[in-house]
Amino acid sequence: MSAWGSGYVTDIPYTTGWYRQQSPSIMALACLLCGVAASMPAADDAVSYLELGCGHGFGAMLLAASNPEWRVTAVDYNPAHIAAAREWAAEAGLANITFLEADLTTLAEDAAAQAIPQTDFVSMHGVWTWVPPAVQQGIVRLLRDKVRPGGVVHVSYNALPAWGSALGMARILRLVGRQHGGRSDRQASEGFKFVREMIEAEAVQLNRSEIVKVLLEKLEELPGIYLAHEYMNDAWAPCFISDVAQALSGAKLEWVASANLIENFPELTLSQEQRALVNRFDDPLLRELIKDHCIDRLLRHDLFVRGARRISPYQRDAALMALPISLNIRPQDMPLEAEMPAGRAALNPKFYRPIVAALTDGPRRIGDLLQIPELEGKRDNPAELAGILIGSELAEPVLRPDQSPSSTAQNFNRVAARRLIRSEPMSRPMGLASYRLGGAMPASVLDMVVLDRTLEGGGSLDDLMQFFHAANAVTDAEKLRAVLATCVENRLPRLRLSGVW
Ligand SMILES: C[S@@+](CC[C@H](N)C(=O)[O-])C[C@H]1O[C@@H](n2cnc3c(N)ncnc32)[C@H](O)[C@@H]1O
């Protein structure tokens, strides 16, 4: 632990990641779905975006690269993160992003805060429940000064009650890890090993928790760096939504929606009996608290608005009808069922097939899709269409449907592919910058590398195999060839339609 870190892990940098809940188009869409006014950024809007606790800043850079008109500011107190992020942004030639090395505990009162403009969208992913109360209070003061009226704030955090029965596991993991000393990731791994031994010794309090089992299974697959930042922070404390809402009310922020779009649809999240219980109350925070007892939400992604204005269903639908969307999958791969928190939901093929077919050649507005003559189903529910397709990551919102790929975004993608191949597993979900989308197109590291090679003129299967051999990235040649063929045939055309290249 460093003297300056206030108990947060600083001896090992965090992983690089992208989370679509951080994207302003997803944030604005979630607000609209819940009947709250939020402007989907228009093509030329000079949106101001702020990320607090940005780590390596990959998500912030993706947004800056996809939207040259935006002004992006990203803050972290770890100089190793900021140095790496600045180096990456300079290599990609990003001129519209500023990385600030600052401690959120006192940033609001620092002269450095003058560099942060009034902000339309803020994101804090993986910060709130991992930092001490003094940092949370500093964040609230900063938000109070910097969020524009009408601005949207995304905050993710470990939530109660889902974490309740695993609090002991997390505490033991951390304290036993500390006994071993050494770097935080090694401490986490020692703590983790000990928890396993306790499970084998049938420690009742660990063994009876389903969540402990789920978490331990997940831990097996996660890199040590992630475990260190997740489990080795002194102040880590999951909380209820009402605690976060109470704290953020100090910045005049009001809870409006979940950034996980599907969670905003009670029919897809709760059983009929559970919905009846929720519907007895008007208070949105109480409704969410009841919901949190009905489903397993270990990590909440919440959206707060400063000055939330309710809009009529008519206004909401008009805004949604005008939204263009683009398909992430091939039309023939449209699933006829989707996994929802309330169980598997059937997707009516007579409704969805004509819609995805109409998206074959590129983005279309939701209103136009709902006018397709052969479609059978509700034509007056743009919220459900947007929620299901975008919420299940089958489609993305599109901010500039007629625009060609921009050189800034392409340059960023090239740099990202070449950096990530050195540090991340090929299957890791990341994102590619797209000027057309005004955000990221979901893509694995493999997709990113294959696209880069293709643009360099080395996109044949033989060329690609040779490249991966030279990069020592081949364990099973036959399997890799099949994966590459799928990527070339299925993914590259989708990336093209999304304006990535
Ligand atoms: C779990 S990481 C999340 C990083 C990034 N948001 C992401 O999702 O990839 C939390 C980040 O918060 C930063 N952080 C922790 N305490 C902080 C503080 N007091 N001031 C500024 N940044 C802080 C850490 O350095 C770390 O990069």
Side-chain angles (χ1 to χ4, degrees), residues 426 446 449 464-474 480 484:
M426 287 294 149
L446 184 104
V449 174
L464 288 168
M465 285 300 289
Q466 220 174 358
F467 172 82
F468 281 100
H469 267 297
N472 282 331
V474 183
L480 178 66
L484 289 172

Side-chain angles (χ1 to χ4, degrees), residues 113-165:
Q114 285 166 12
I116 304 175
Q118 287 291 296
T119 299
D120 304 295
F121 294 93
V122 181
S123 177
M124 297 177 262
H125 178 59
V127 179
W128 188 261
T129 37
W130 291 265
V131 294
V135 183
Q136 295 176 346
Q137 288 152 16
I139 289 173
V140 174
R141 292 196 303 279
L142 187 70
L143 296 176
R144 191 187 57 203
D145 294 347
K146 297 296 180 184
V147 180
R148 237 189 251 292
V152 187
V153 175
H154 159 250
V155 51
S156 73
Y157 55 95
N158 280 159
L160 290 173
W163 264 98
S165 68

Side-chain angles (χ1 to χ4, degrees), residues 4-6 8-10 13-19 22 51-59 75-79 81 100-106 123-128 130-132 135 139 156 226 229-230 233 428:
W4 53 268
S6 320
Y8 186 92
V9 167
T10 52
Y14 192 53
T15 54
T16 305
W18 158 247
Y19 310 91
Q22 299 189 276
E51 182 171 358
L52 303 180
C54 65
H56 284 125
F58 180 71
V75 179
D76 204 287
Y77 76 161
N78 188 331
H81 288 164
L100 213 57
E101 182 201 328
D103 191 327
L104 292 165
T105 322
T106 49
S123 177
M124 297 177 262
H125 178 59
V127 179
W128 188 261
W130 291 265
V131 294
V135 183
I139 289 173
S156 73
Y226 174 87
H229 282 258
E230 183 78 13
N233 298 308
R428 177 105 200 261

Side-chain angles (χ1 to χ4, degrees), residues 19-20 81 104 120 137 141 183 206 213 312-313 331 349 371 387 414 416 464 489:
Y19 310 91
R20 74 204 286 268
H81 288 164
L104 292 165
D120 304 295
Q137 288 152 16
R141 292 196 303 279
R183 223 173 54 191
L206 296 178
K213 282 184 203 133
S312 68
Q371 292 305 315
R414 183 175 53 82
L464 288 168
E489 283 159 31

